[in-house]
């Protein structure tokens, strides 16, 4: 097996750096902001997918819970959500209680309209008499991110940002320059 040689010419980097330096400041700022926004959205999507995997919930619940905010040169991704009702996971009434696909059966539970949430809910009583009912919930997707003791969410988001940011920045600059040349 023959060895492969890699030759990098530093003059290309110098030429690219000089060309970037000559660009107008507002064009560079807009391209930077757009590239940061694009790669931040990619990272937000992957964080939401990982939270869905950890919480055992469908992606549709974590997609809307993941929020991204650009602050200066930083991207901040937060996962904010409430507890997901078992009724939202297509619970169905059985003779013995309520069954939820992927979650199991809840003996003695029943589906009824809840005055608290204003929609159908899976409810259960603590005792055999007509004691007060309580609503049953599935996971809270934000807890998956909060329980990230090994920093997996942060590492994944940083990896996406470092891998995709520079190519996207060059794309945004090229797109803006081609618009200027077309005028």
């Amino acid at each position: 097996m023959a060895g492969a040689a890699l030759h990098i010419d530093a003059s290309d980097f110098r030429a690219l750096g000089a060309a970037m330096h000559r660009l107008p400041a507002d064009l560079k700022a807009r391209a930077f902001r757009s590239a940061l926004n694009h790669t931040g959205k990619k990272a937000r999507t992957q964080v939401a997918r990982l939270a869905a995997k950890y919480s055992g919930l469908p992606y549709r619940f974590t997609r809307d819970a993941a929020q991204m905010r650009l602050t200066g040169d930083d991207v901040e991704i937060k996962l904010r959500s409430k507890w997901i009702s078992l009724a939202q996971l297509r619970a169905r009434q059985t003779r013995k209680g309520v069954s939820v696909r992927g979650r199991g059966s809840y003996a003695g539970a029943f589906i009824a309209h809840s005055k608290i949430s204003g929609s159908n809910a899976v409810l259960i009583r603590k005792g055999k008499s007509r004691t007060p009912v309580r609503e049953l919930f599935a996971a809270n997707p934000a807890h998956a991110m909060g329980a990230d003791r090994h920093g997996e969410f942060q590492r994944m988001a940083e990896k996406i940002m470092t891998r995709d940011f520079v190519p996207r920045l060059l794309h945004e600059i090229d797109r803006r320059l081609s618009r200027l040349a077309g005028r």
Side-chain angles (χ1 to χ4, degrees), residues 86-108:
L86 280 178
Q88 290 179 295
L89 299 177
R90 297 187 183 113
R92 59 188 180 91
Q93 186 73 51
T94 62
R95 280 189 216 161
K96 295 182 180 181
V98 172
S99 175
V100 181
R101 181 181 291 164
R103 297 272 173 200
S105 298
Y106 298 87

Side-chain angles (χ1 to χ4, degrees), residues 120-132:
N120 282 347
V122 177
L123 305 170
I124 194 165
R125 295 185 190 280
K126 290 185 181 182
K128 292 191 184 237
S129 66
R130 301 204 43 89
T131 59

Side-chain angles (χ1 to χ4, degrees), residues 5 10 44 51 92 110 149 165 181:
R44 180 189 67 191
R92 59 188 180 91
F110 56 97
R149 293 172 186 32
F165 179 72

Side-chain angles (χ1 to χ4, degrees), residues 23-24 32 76 88 163:
L23 290 174
F32 181 84
E76 184 178 87
Q88 290 179 295
R163 180 190 69 206

